[in-house]
Amino acid sequence: SIREILANLAAGELGKTSFERLVQAAFSSEKHRDEFGAVLAEWDSSLGIKETNQILRGYFLFVTGALAEAREVLQGCKKHPWGAYHLARTVEGLGLAEDAAKIARDAAGKHADHIELQLLAAELGARTADTEGARKFLEGVRKTIGTGADFLFVEGFVLEREGEYADAIERSRE
C-alpha cells in the first residue's frame, strides 16, 4: 500500500532515490495517485520521523503542482539539506528565482557534503546571473566527486549563461 511505501521511505535516510521511488509509486497508476492524495489529506507523524514526513509531503505537493502548499510545508524543513533543496525548487517554480537562489546558496554553505544541493546552488546562481558564485559551487563538487552527468549539465548551463556557447555545447556531448 501507499502508506507502507511512505513508512519505509520515512524510516530510512533520505536520498535522491527516495524521491524517485515516491514519484514512481505515486504515479504508477491512477489508483496509487488517488491513494497518495488521500494519505496527504490525513498526513500525520505515525509514518516515521516528523521532519522526514514533512519533506516527503512537501516534495509530493511540489510534484503534484501544489506549490504554495509545498512551500509552506518545506519552509519548516529548510535546515535539512533535502528540505532546503525542495524548498528552493518549489520557490523557483513559483517564479521567485532570486529567493530560490538565496535558499540554495545559504543551505549549500551549511551542507558542503550534499552534492545535489551544491549543484542546485550552482544552477540557480547561473539562472540569476551569479555565474561567479555558481563556479565556486561547481569547483567544490569537482573536488569532491569529480565530474559526472549532473555536474556536466550544470557546468554547461553556467557556460551558456556566460556566453561560452561552444564550450556549453561540448559539455552536453560529454
Side-chain angles (χ1 to χ4, degrees):
S1 82
I2 295 303
R3 192 170 286 281
E4 290 169 355
I5 292 168
L6 284 168
N8 288 335
L9 289 174
E13 188 165 327
L14 290 178
K16 190 175 182 178
T17 57
S18 304
F19 301 104
E20 291 167 353
R21 280 187 273 165
L22 176 63
V23 168
Q24 288 169 351
F27 296 104
S28 63
S29 72
E30 192 171 326
K31 177 186 172 207
H32 280 167
R33 192 174 60 246
D34 293 343
E35 191 178 343
F36 259 96
V39 169
L40 274 179
E42 61 184 46
W43 201 281
D44 62 33
S45 61
S46 66
L47 294 171
I49 301 166
K50 188 177 190 304
E51 183 178 50
T52 301
N53 285 347
Q54 291 300 90
I55 294 168
L56 291 169
R57 179 175 181 240
Y59 175 71
F60 186 71
L61 289 165
F62 167 72
V63 298
T64 57
L67 299 181
E69 192 175 352
R71 181 182 187 181
E72 187 176 315
V73 169
L74 292 166
Q75 189 68 37
C77 305
K78 67 182 176 183
K79 290 183 180 180
H80 187 287
W82 282 111
Y85 179 93
H86 292 300
L87 176 61
R89 282 282 185 220
T90 299
V91 171
E92 177 194 23
L94 288 165
L96 304 169
E98 292 288 339
D99 292 345
K102 181 177 180 353
I103 292 165
R105 189 173 49 249
D106 291 350
K110 295 173 185 159
H111 302 283
D113 60 335
H114 197 278
I115 300 304
E116 290 85 356
L117 193 50
Q118 301 297 312
L119 289 171
L120 179 61
E123 177 188 333
L124 293 174
R127 203 173 291 280
T128 58
D130 179 16
T131 56
E132 185 177 322
R135 288 223 164 263
K136 289 177 185 173
F137 286 113
L138 281 176
E139 192 52 39
V141 171
R142 183 190 316 269
K143 288 177 183 175
T144 304
I145 64 164
T147 60
D150 292 338
F151 175 90
L152 292 170
F153 171 80
V154 175
E155 185 179 42
F157 182 67
V158 172
L159 288 165
E160 184 265 333
R161 297 297 291 207
E162 293 174 331
E164 301 294 333
Y165 302 112
D167 289 341
I169 291 169
E170 186 61 33
R171 291 308 177 279
S172 71
R173 293 181 178 154
E174 289 182 23

